[in-house]
Amino acid sequence: MRFVSPRQRFTRSVSLITTAATTAALLTAANQPATAQIQLSTSSVTGSDGKVYSVTNHLKVGDLEAGHHPRRPHEYLLAWTGDSEPRADGTQEPDFLAIIDVSRGLPTYGKVVNTATLSPLTGNEPHHMQYTWQRGQKLYAGGLLGDTIFVFDIGQLPEVTLSGVALPTDTPCGSAPDAFSVLRDGTAYGTMLGGPNVSGPCTYSNGETRSGNGFAGTPGEVVHIGTDGRILAEVAAASATGEDPALCHSIPALPVPTCANPHGIAVREDLNAMLTSDFVEVRNLVGGHGLPDPFLARNTIRSYDISDRARPRLRTVMRLAVGPRNGPVASQENLLVMETAVTHQARHRGAFASTANGAVYYTPDFTAAQPVWREILDDATAFTFLYPVNPPTSDSDGGGWLQVSPDDRFLFHTVMYGGVSSPAHQDSGMVYALDISRLLAAGTHTSCEIDSSAEITAGGAEPDCPVVRGAVPIVDPTSGGAHWGAMDNFAAGSSGYFHETDRIRRLAVSNYFVAVAGFDGDHRICLVNVGPAGRLSLDTSFRDEVTRRPCLDFDRAGWPHGDTGAARPHGVVFAVAEADLR
């Protein structure tokens, strides 16, 4: 197939490009070099409310042409990004997708070559997308506080077009969209962390009814989303019979108590199974004052039968056990279950979960009628790997992103900072790689369990326990390091074109959580090299084009779309244009 250059891609004729955008082409961007020119293109869709929603590309012509090589297709990192601070009048700059060239060896490496800005919605609090992007998929992205889901077409990178928008009124039984998993047919499941738009009973797509306490409250739900952004189904995450009233608190209290606030999501279509992890009744985090009740934090995981993709059904609610730390209730290892991750190989049925209170759990068969979950690592073990002398503690360390490599060799995990009781290095977050081969080799007969004080920092004593193979500190002295991440699931072949791979050699991590919750970050994105044995190292060649320091700094004055100032990157994903994939 003939190579199509980035320049040819973004100047092609697109039926959705607006007249205003085409007449405004080749503008000089604010705070860019005098020779930098910006190519504009806009695509639009009509929402269910009858209004028009748009995304506008601001492609840096000079950088794209300078980086063009006839035999070198490009790889990109997409960062789902929000405006950092409101203007003086209270309005905000547009949220956007930052398209960053991560093609090693090219002069555009590390440069933001496009910003695709949204209109008219602002202040969405861009949050997560799907964990990895694969050929043919749309890109699903959630606005946590804007309660809106955006669907993008990224097949013609570095240009982006808008495929659909799901508005708050399209998901009446849930709010605060979080994470997404894309199915083979191109549709996606997504978690809605918060409760129904309006307090009271809400009826889901299958006719079931649950009672909720309102926006960003409880219970959340799972949604099935079409490639055009249409909501195909709303699925109850709360059981009809309710859960333990002593552990599942809500404000205001629900008549049928539940801990259903799904955050992370993981799917195995070959097993007809899905998992979601419950995090927190999220509106109680807004304001940055901490939770008024520790049991607003959740310790539950939910499994679903997805044999009928159009009608997922809740199967089991599982509760994680308290570990050996013996700390206060608010920092117990099992609370704030942020993420879940599944294995990929057909011979494995294991799944992992991580908590923002510093622990990783595992079950060898998440499709079992009653899966057994055990703690298999405390983050303190990884901190000890990094800092053998006086290591940070892991209590309330902000453990976040969690993914299993496609070959099932490693588990990657990010941590925002040292625990609240850390004697030193409290400003040090990290990303670490855990060798899980022995754990998976044990099949359903695992013995690993962190159940003694010595194992908190030394790792599990049982022979099948995982081993930390690599860790990189992501230090921010003010407000936290790595929260989210992505695996680079692409590799270049001898022809220069890319293909998908199950051997992960690079990660991206972003340093931002949710500012209104009191947990910000330094707004950098870093790339991390992954060695064959799991050793991690910071990619120091990935440097900010303004400061020239390692990692990409989003606290900058200018962007391709103008002099809009600092921004906050959250979700990240690697992607390659369809024409550059083989």
Side-chain angles (χ1 to χ4, degrees):
M1 183 180 292
R2 182 175 63 86
F3 172 70
V4 181
S5 74
R7 170 71 170 163
Q8 289 170 302
R9 275 191 215 107
F10 64 69
T11 56
R12 77 191 196 288
S13 174
V14 180
S15 61
L16 293 176
I17 292 179
T18 65
T19 302
T22 54
T23 57
L26 300 179
L27 297 178
T28 300
N31 210 47
Q32 304 292 336
T35 56
Q37 291 179 314
I38 305 300
Q39 173 78 42
L40 302 184
S41 65
T42 297
S43 61
S44 302
V45 298
T46 301
S48 59
D49 59 355
K51 296 179 181 178
V52 174
Y53 298 87
S54 302
V55 62
T56 298
N57 295 277
H58 304 78
L59 294 124
K60 294 177 69 176
V61 176
D63 280 349
L64 290 166
E65 291 181 337
H68 170 62
H69 188 288
R71 293 182 299 279
R72 285 294 305 272
H74 290 240
E75 183 178 7
Y76 300 97
L77 182 72
L78 278 60
W80 185 214
T81 307
D83 183 41
S84 187
E85 297 293 342
R87 302 185 186 102
D89 63 0
T91 60
Q92 288 189 285
E93 301 290 352
D95 299 326
F96 59 94
L97 274 172
I99 292 82
I100 305 155
D101 197 322
V102 291
S103 311
R104 295 183 189 272
L106 292 182
T108 45
Y109 189 58
K111 290 189 176 182
V112 179
V113 297
N114 180 21
T115 48
T117 56
L118 295 175
S119 177
L121 297 176
T122 60
N124 293 285
E125 188 64 46
H127 206 56
H128 298 151
M129 303 180 285
Q130 63 252 53
Y131 297 88
T132 57
W133 179 85
Q134 296 177 302
R135 184 173 191 169
Q137 291 182 351
K138 295 296 177 69
L139 187 69
Y140 295 83
L144 183 71
L145 300 183
D147 195 18
T148 302
I149 298 168
F150 301 88
V151 183
F152 301 101
D153 188 331
I154 60 171
Q156 301 294 326
L157 284 171
E159 188 176 43
V160 175
T161 57
L162 187 63
S163 297
V165 174
L167 302 169
T169 51
D170 297 321
T171 57
C173 291
S175 55
D178 196 275
F180 306 90
S181 182
V182 183
L183 307 178
R184 292 170 187 154
D185 66 2
T187 64
Y189 293 138
T191 53
M192 306 294 282
L193 181 60
N197 297 339
V198 179
S199 298
C202 194
T203 301
Y204 298 85
S205 301
N206 65 357
E208 294 180 351
T209 299
R210 305 286 187 271
S211 186
N213 61 10
F215 178 81
T218 303
E221 66 173 355
V222 174
V223 291
H224 187 200
I225 314 156
T227 57
D228 59 356
R230 287 186 304 118
I231 299 299
L232 305 176
E234 291 187 278
V235 179
S239 63
T241 56
E243 299 164 42
D244 191 337
L247 299 176
C248 297
H249 296 184
S250 294
I251 300 176
L254 292 169
V256 180
T258 178
C259 285
N261 295 110
H263 182 280
I265 185 169
V267 172
R268 282 281 299 268
E269 286 194 79
D270 60 324
L271 301 177
N272 290 320
M274 175 171 67
L275 287 176
T276 62
S277 49
D278 295 320
F279 181 46
V280 69
E281 191 173 72
V282 66
R283 66 184 175 202
N284 294 285
L285 283 179
V286 175
H289 305 300
L291 291 177
D293 178 345
F295 293 112
L296 297 170
R298 309 310 191 193
N299 63 5
T300 43
I301 297 171
R302 293 164 199 271
S303 69
Y304 304 75
D305 181 346
I306 60 168
S307 300
D308 183 347
R309 301 291 189 268
R311 298 172 65 90
R313 178 177 58 84
L314 180 67
R315 289 179 61 246
T316 308
V317 179
M318 301 155 282
R319 196 171 299 281
L320 300 181
V322 179
R325 285 196 214 138
N326 297 318
V329 171
S331 60
Q332 287 178 351
E333 300 95 319
N334 63 334
L335 290 178
L336 297 168
V337 192
M338 186 169 288
E339 282 301 305
T340 188
V342 292
T343 49
H344 305 281
Q345 303 295 310
R347 65 186 185 276
H348 298 146
R349 296 187 173 213
F352 298 85
S354 63
T355 72
N357 278 357
V360 178
Y361 289 76
Y362 176 70
T363 182
D365 185 359
F366 77 96
T367 68
Q370 293 295 328
V372 176
W373 291 81
R374 296 191 183 97
E375 184 182 350
I376 50 93
L377 192 89
D378 191 299
D379 289 343
T381 301
F383 274 129
T384 304
F385 179 92
L386 272 179
Y387 306 105
V389 178
N390 200 20
T393 64
S394 54
D395 48 324
S396 305
D397 66 2
W401 173 74
L402 184 82
Q403 283 290 283
V404 178
S405 61
D407 60 4
D408 284 355
R409 292 182 65 210
F410 301 111
L411 181 72
F412 301 112
H413 188 35
T414 58
V415 173
M416 288 187 69
Y417 32 66
V420 294
S421 62
S422 291
H425 305 296
Q426 192 169 355
D427 60 349
S428 179
M430 62 179 166
V431 55
Y432 66 82
L434 201 61
D435 185 338
I436 56 174
S437 55
R438 295 189 303 189
L439 188 65
L440 270 57
T444 58
H445 303 290
T446 57
S447 58
C448 182
E449 183 171 12
I450 306 301
D451 54 6
S452 70
S453 58
E455 291 176 308
I456 295 172
T457 56
E462 293 79 12
D464 60 337
C465 282
V467 179
V468 177
R469 296 298 187 195
V472 168
I474 307 292
V475 179
D476 171 24
T478 57
S479 52
H483 164 65
W484 209 245
M487 300 181 295
D488 184 357
N489 55 312
F490 299 98
S494 58
S495 65
Y497 290 95
F498 288 89
H499 60 271
E500 293 183 40
T501 178
D502 65 356
R503 293 297 179 98
I504 302 302
R505 293 291 179 260
R506 183 165 60 167
L507 309 174
V509 296
S510 60
N511 304 351
Y512 173 65
F513 184 60
V514 180
V516 295
F519 304 99
D520 197 333
D522 66 3
H523 309 159
R524 290 184 302 151
I525 290 178
C526 301
L527 294 187
V528 175
N529 298 315
V530 183
R535 182 177 179 273
L536 304 184
S537 61
L538 185 69
D539 181 357
T540 56
S541 67
F542 182 71
R543 292 178 176 268
D544 187 87
E545 57 192 304
V546 178
T547 67
R548 304 310 305 161
R549 292 193 293 268
C551 303
L552 192 70
D553 194 345
F554 277 56
D555 284 343
R556 59 176 63 189
W559 298 93
H561 63 275
D563 190 14
T564 58
R568 295 164 170 153
H570 198 113
V572 287
V573 71
F574 289 90
V576 176
E578 294 281 354
D580 292 346
L581 283 168
R582 292 291 183 270

